[in-house]
Amino acid sequence: MLAIVLKQDGYFGRAEGPVIADAGLYLEVAELPKPVPKAGQVVIKLLASSVNPSDLHFIKGAYGQPRVKGAPAGFEGCGEVVDVGAGAEALLGQRVAFVITPNGSGAWAEYAMTEALHCIPLRPEISEADGAAQIVNPLTAMVMVDIAAKTGAAMVISAASSQLGKLMIGLGKDLGLKTIALVRRADSVKALTALGATEVLDVTTPDFARQFAAASTALKPQVFLDAVADQISEQVFAAMPNGARWVCYGNLGAAPPTLTQIGQLIFMDKRIEGFWLTNWLRNTAPEVQKRVVAKVQSRFADGRWHTDVSARLTLAEVVGSLAAATAIKGGKVIITP
Ligand SMILES: NC(=O)c1ccc[n+]([C@@H]2O[C@H](COP(=O)([O-])OP(=O)(O)OC[C@H]3O[C@@H](n4cnc5c(N)ncnc54)[C@H](OP(=O)(O)O)[C@@H]3O)[C@@H](O)[C@H]2O)c1
């Protein structure tokens, strides 16, 4: 099979954001044997896979699991189950969304392999692009907004024009939450306001600190869902009210923040924490996961959620064109065989 494989092993050891200048530094095209499933595993003939920031962190060696040289890249996609190990027979022939487990074989290939437990049979109304981005961001959006809804009436989200940011704004609006959405481009403001954000603030404007302080005083957000984790994030957290939680779930910033207000953790009951969907999947009861998955699919099926696509690449185009494709704003890069 044709596959896009990793050129390096292990970790690089330095977080520097998900931007890539040349995918050829990390990836190459290879012909590999089709993977063979063990008990509980399935092989999926790829229809489409998505490019998430986690993929870009990973191929650079800056993600929560080590690279394996020569193994296919790509964490998420959708396709048809064409081969199964013992115990996974029920999925044979089904169109599924999937995420790759470390003992599987990556999604940027004609065939991917993962655990049956990490596949979700797709409703027929779900498009290929939505199917390719059905798990990582939508489940994270569900869990993050649930944290916010249980904590207060308003939330702050950074990198709000990301796909995940847009999902969270729509869901927050449906749940009656007020959202202060932080962006770094003025041209994102109109679209996010239309999606339902209460305030959309551009962190690059000189007046941002004053604007945020005013919005925070008015809406009293208790949770900051943060994908950037840079010095602006730290200033935002410092300007939030007593009891605020800073939930870091992404590392888009090029450099980590310095904490300037340790006293707030002591005297104002503020908390800093992290979130990783992988741990949520490990630690959450299957029946709870099933309920969340069903809600995700119904939001995509009836159009309340959809995946914006910025570029489409075939597998053969990935090494040469991924860097330019990921620089296009506003949506996901989708990879097809
Ligand atoms: N912890 C978890 O389990 C988990 C799960 C899913 C996603 N995530 C994280 O969620 C975040 C969003 O993912 P996604 O797939 O929705 O992303 P995406 O659609 O690919 O969009 C990336 C967004 O990040 C913005 N951005 C990039 N670098 C930035 C920086 N230095 N400062 C501010 N904004 C920056 C971009 O803004 P422009 O449009 O202005 O370029 C863009 O809107 C990522 O950090 C991802 O790793 C985490």
Side-chain angles (χ1 to χ4, degrees):
M1 66 174 186
L2 188 70
I4 305 304
V5 302
L6 300 159
K7 284 171 83 169
Q8 288 100 9
D9 269 318
Y11 296 102
F12 178 60
R14 198 173 71 209
E16 52 178 25
V19 176
I20 50 165
D22 176 5
L25 295 171
Y26 316 105
L27 299 171
E28 60 192 354
V29 179
E31 274 292 331
L32 297 181
K34 206 166 118 184
V36 179
K38 295 198 177 78
Q41 290 184 315
V42 300
V43 172
I44 299 145
K45 188 172 191 303
L46 187 76
L47 286 168
S49 68
S50 53
V51 178
N52 289 316
S54 52
D55 291 302
L56 304 178
H57 288 299
F58 177 65
I59 64 176
K60 293 167 78 175
Y63 195 62
Q65 66 194 62
R67 293 171 294 181
V68 177
K69 189 176 169 180
F75 285 135
E76 181 175 28
C78 70
E80 187 194 337
V81 176
V82 291
D83 197 2
V84 294
E89 293 81 359
L91 284 178
L92 195 60
Q94 296 216 42
R95 192 175 73 120
V96 297
F98 63 90
V99 284
I100 300 296
T101 45
N103 61 351
S105 183
W108 297 355
E110 286 177 289
Y111 294 89
M113 185 168 76
T114 190
E115 301 292 318
L117 284 173
H118 286 74
C119 294
I120 298 172
L122 284 172
R123 288 168 56 163
E125 314 93 293
I126 308 283
S127 71
E128 273 178 24
D130 286 342
Q134 185 74 188
I135 299 180
V136 176
N137 281 335
L139 289 185
T140 303
M142 282 287 181
V143 181
M144 299 272 93
V145 174
D146 188 53
I147 292 172
K150 285 183 174 139
T151 315
M155 61 183 175
V156 183
I157 61 174
S158 63
S161 59
S162 64
Q163 179 64 22
L164 181 45
K166 290 182 273 193
L167 300 180
M168 292 197 290
I169 291 170
L171 180 58
K173 181 184 167 221
D174 293 347
L175 297 178
L177 279 172
K178 308 265 190 229
T179 301
I180 303 174
L182 309 182
V183 296
R184 61 176 182 177
R185 287 184 290 122
D187 59 1
S188 315
V189 173
K190 213 169 149 191
L192 299 192
T193 306
L195 272 182
T198 315
E199 296 271 0
V200 186
L201 305 180
D202 178 355
V203 302
T204 66
T205 57
D207 196 30
F208 168 69
R210 191 203 57 76
Q211 291 175 16
F212 182 78
S216 180
T217 303
L219 298 175
K220 299 181 181 47
Q222 285 295 305
V223 175
F224 178 21
L225 305 173
D226 182 26
V228 180
D230 64 0
Q231 204 58 46
I232 296 173
S233 297
E234 196 272 346
Q235 289 162 16
V236 163
F237 178 59
M240 287 174 69
N242 278 6
R245 290 168 71 179
W246 178 7
V247 183
C248 298
Y249 69 89
N251 196 6
L252 293 167
T258 300
L259 294 180
T260 61
Q261 305 280 346
I262 292 299
Q264 293 193 348
L265 306 181
I266 303 167
F267 304 116
M268 292 172 69
D269 201 21
K270 290 191 172 188
R271 276 172 289 160
I272 304 173
E273 59 201 276
F275 172 83
W276 192 25
L277 184 68
T278 303
N279 286 339
W280 184 85
L281 292 169
R282 278 186 198 131
N283 301 332
T284 303
E287 59 276 15
V288 175
Q289 294 193 28
K290 269 191 195 139
R291 276 204 300 275
V292 178
V293 162
K295 280 188 195 164
V296 164
Q297 285 219 45
S298 78
R299 290 189 72 86
F300 279 101
D302 65 19
R304 281 173 292 165
W305 273 354
H306 73 279
T307 304
D308 291 323
V309 177
S310 55
R312 290 175 191 271
L313 300 177
T314 62
L315 284 170
E317 291 169 334
V318 168
V319 176
S321 304
L322 185 62
T326 52
I328 301 170
K329 307 285 184 197
K332 287 266 146 229
V333 178
I334 297 293
I335 297 174
T336 55

